[in-house]
Amino acid sequence: MSFGRKSGAPSSSSPPPPPSINPTAPQAAPALSPSVTAHEKNEIPLDHLEAPQVEDNHTPAPEVDSMTALRLQRARNRIWSDLRDGIDLKALARMEGKAARDEVQTAVEEIARFRNLDLTPAELAQIAKECGDDMLGYGPLENLLSEDGIADIMINGPDTVYVERKGKIQKTDIKFRDNQHLVTICQRIVGAIGRRVDEASPICDARLPDGSRVNVIIPPLSVDGACMTIRKFTKEKLTLEKLVGFGSMTPSCAKLIMAIGRARVNVLVSGGTGSGKTTMLNCLTRYIENGERVITCEDACELQLQQPHVVRLETRPANLEGVGEVTMRDLVRNCLRMRPERIIVGEVRGPEAFDLLQAMNTGHDGSMGTVHANNPREAISRMENMIAMGNLNIPTTAVREQIASAINVIIQVQRLRDGSRKVTHVSEITGMEGEVVTMQDLFVLDIVGEDEHGKLITKQRSTGLRPKFFDKARAFGVEKYVLDAMEEAYG
Ligand SMILES: Nc1ncnc2c1ncn2[C@@H]1O[C@H](COP(=O)(O)OP(=O)(O)OP(=O)(O)O)[C@@H](O)[C@H]1O
Ligand SMILES: [Mg+2]
């Protein structure tokens, strides 16, 4: 008997059969939503007006004849039950990943031999993989986590898992055995970085070892079972060139954004949830010069700056006794004492907005942040509201003046209804007129129509206006990019 297993042959007693690890039960493939066809054709029946439904077009599990399915299910249950009784989980946890998986595989093969199970080598290998995923990894999520092209994984309880592929949300046929199974996987994920999620603290943010961002919320707060949302880390680093390739913006808009990144212009990237704000911020940071001292403040580190002189700060939630919380505001204020040249705030969503504006107004040119808003004008009022949340008792006009003098440019990104992500505005704040912050658009996106596949036809155009930061761009030697972007409007 080797290291990871408890000594003794697999138990021959028959404990109640556990549910399967990753059942391919015939009922696993739900019927396609009847509204999909209508939605795809973009027709909304007038006599039956209802909200368009999410696509439910997951590939149904391949037809397996029911006898085979039953045989596999029985073998799975048998193996899983013996494995649970026979393997020493503590010893397994101490082993290296590959060695532990080999150990599970050997144990599964031994059980199959001992029980004389009728399995092909391929079936055996599949069951061994499922057992390994369950005991050592992220169970049924393992395949989704390793699949390229998935942006988000959204688990709404043990039976409902959605993913986002190519901008479209799709339902998968992945299921967990029960809520406890799902909670165990959630705990394993957050436990790996020293966080916890249980009834006492049912909400948790964490990061997977590969950099993916995770949020978990469990019952009683989530009513229908534990929910986990994973924003997968994209191995392929998105750059402005790639975004141009995806059609998110024109090459001349990308040039303007490059100039904005280089010329130490203060920028807010604004957009809805999952619209590509962090990605755009990451792209902008590529143009920061190597010599600059940059300090980033985030809730969970997502930015990947390549420059040598970067300090990364991360907020911290309160501990079980409710103390020790370090907020974004604490971080931003502290980093002002760290001699930053630029400050980058991953997501501005509270009173730290005020400190970021202060930083922008006090010589930390080229500071950046993202904000949840649907258009540039709304981004300004969001900032205003966030400052009001801090109870600093600053008159509205003064706040607006601060905003107008601190922020130079707002880049608006949006996930359009066909799933594509685009830059819809590059707008510049030009000053104040009375009590109103004035702006001018440098680039705007027009939606021209829709093709037969439901893809939106869009056209991004330069307005040809000369940005106020032109002189700054000249000082940094990037005025050519700005001129190119302006000229596009005329030529
Ligand atoms: N222009 C783009 N084209 C295609 N995919 C994109 C584009 N921009 C971002 N993505 C992808 O979309 C997903 C969401 O992007 P990102 O994390 O930048 O969004 P976000 O607005 O910061 O989201 P959140 O509001 O959750 O913080 C990521 O998987 C990213 O790789
Ligand atoms: Mg983000």
Side-chain angles (χ1 to χ4, degrees), residues 213 231 277-279 302 346-347 370:
R213 191 182 78 185
R231 161 66 40 78
K277 301 181 293 296
T278 306
T279 306
E302 281 185 287
E347 197 176 317
T370 74

Side-chain angles (χ1 to χ4, degrees), residues 151 213 231 238 243 246 248 273-279 372 421:
R213 191 182 78 185
R231 161 66 40 78
L238 292 180
L243 297 193
F246 295 157
S248 298
T273 286
S275 53
K277 301 181 293 296
T278 306
T279 306
H372 266 247
R421 291 178 166 93

Side-chain angles (χ1 to χ4, degrees), residues 310-327:
V310 175
V311 181
R312 300 194 304 157
L313 306 179
E314 211 176 50
T315 57
R316 186 177 69 180
N319 67 10
L320 262 188
E321 287 80 44
V323 292
E325 182 184 12
V326 179
T327 64

Side-chain angles (χ1 to χ4, degrees), residues 258-265 283-295 305-310 341-342 344 365-366 368 472-478:
M258 261 180 217
I260 289 170
R262 174 53 64 97
R264 302 197 61 172
V265 170
C283 291
L284 273 165
T285 61
R286 268 187 78 204
Y287 303 96
I288 296 177
E289 272 179 88
N290 273 349
E292 295 181 31
R293 175 169 165 86
V294 185
I295 304 189
L305 270 72
Q306 306 296 313
Q307 287 76 3
H309 200 160
V310 175
E341 282 179 284
R342 298 201 195 214
I344 301 183
D365 288 354
M368 307 173 184
K472 226 172 165 192
R474 183 155 37 209
F476 281 84
V478 286

Side-chain angles (χ1 to χ4, degrees), residues 61-295:
E63 287 268 329
V64 185
D65 80 72
S66 54
M67 286 305 287
T68 313
L70 197 66
R71 179 175 58 77
L72 275 177
Q73 195 57 33
R74 286 211 177 118
R76 247 193 211 105
N77 291 350
R78 183 74 267 165
I79 289 177
W80 180 241
S81 135
D82 283 352
L83 193 63
R84 237 183 3 184
D85 295 343
I87 210 149
D88 181 349
L89 282 174
K90 282 195 186 128
L92 203 64
R94 284 195 295 271
M95 294 170 86
E96 287 283 316
K98 169 87 172 68
R101 278 198 180 257
D102 288 349
E103 183 65 23
V104 172
Q105 168 136 13
T106 320
V108 169
E109 284 165 3
E110 270 178 28
I111 295 167
R113 240 192 336 268
F114 182 80
R115 294 280 184 196
N116 219 355
L117 297 176
D118 174 23
L119 291 170
T120 65
E123 288 165 351
L124 195 60
Q126 176 60 26
I127 294 179
K129 180 178 179 304
E130 289 169 6
C131 292
D133 288 351
D134 227 39
M135 299 192 121
L136 305 160
Y138 303 127
L141 293 182
E142 205 66 24
N143 288 343
L144 292 185
L145 288 169
S146 54
E147 182 183 327
D148 284 337
I150 291 186
D152 286 284
I153 304 173
M154 293 150 273
I155 304 161
N156 313 345
D159 297 328
T160 320
V161 180
Y162 285 91
V163 294
E164 191 203 295
R165 285 193 185 92
K166 295 196 178 134
K168 291 273 183 189
I169 295 179
Q170 303 167 336
K171 195 172 180 197
T172 69
D173 54 9
I174 287 174
K175 290 182 192 314
F176 291 80
R177 284 197 297 277
D178 50 30
N179 191 50
Q180 191 47 48
H181 183 204
L182 172 55
V183 171
T184 309
I185 302 284
C186 294
Q187 281 167 338
R188 190 174 295 156
I189 288 178
V190 303
I193 58 149
R195 298 257 165 99
R196 50 182 291 163
V197 61
D198 50 30
E199 243 182 74
S201 50
I203 296 182
C204 183
D205 279 315
R207 218 169 346 112
L208 294 180
D210 73 355
S212 301
R213 191 182 78 185
V214 182
N215 173 273
V216 180
I217 178 160
I218 63 169
L221 303 193
S222 58
V223 180
D224 300 317
C227 295
M228 176 154 63
T229 319
I230 304 178
R231 161 66 40 78
K232 274 187 65 187
F233 180 83
T234 24
K235 283 192 207 96
E236 185 200 7
K237 199 165 176 297
L238 292 180
T239 57
L240 284 182
E241 291 84 353
K242 285 188 187 145
L243 297 193
V244 170
F246 295 157
S248 298
M249 68 190 101
T250 58
S252 60
C253 178
K255 281 187 188 172
L256 185 74
I257 292 177
M258 261 180 217
I260 289 170
R262 174 53 64 97
R264 302 197 61 172
V265 170
N266 292 328
V267 195
L268 266 192
V269 180
S270 154
T273 286
S275 53
K277 301 181 293 296
T278 306
T279 306
M280 176 55 73
L281 193 60
N282 240 329
C283 291
L284 273 165
T285 61
R286 268 187 78 204
Y287 303 96
I288 296 177
E289 272 179 88
N290 273 349
E292 295 181 31
R293 175 169 165 86
V294 185
I295 304 189

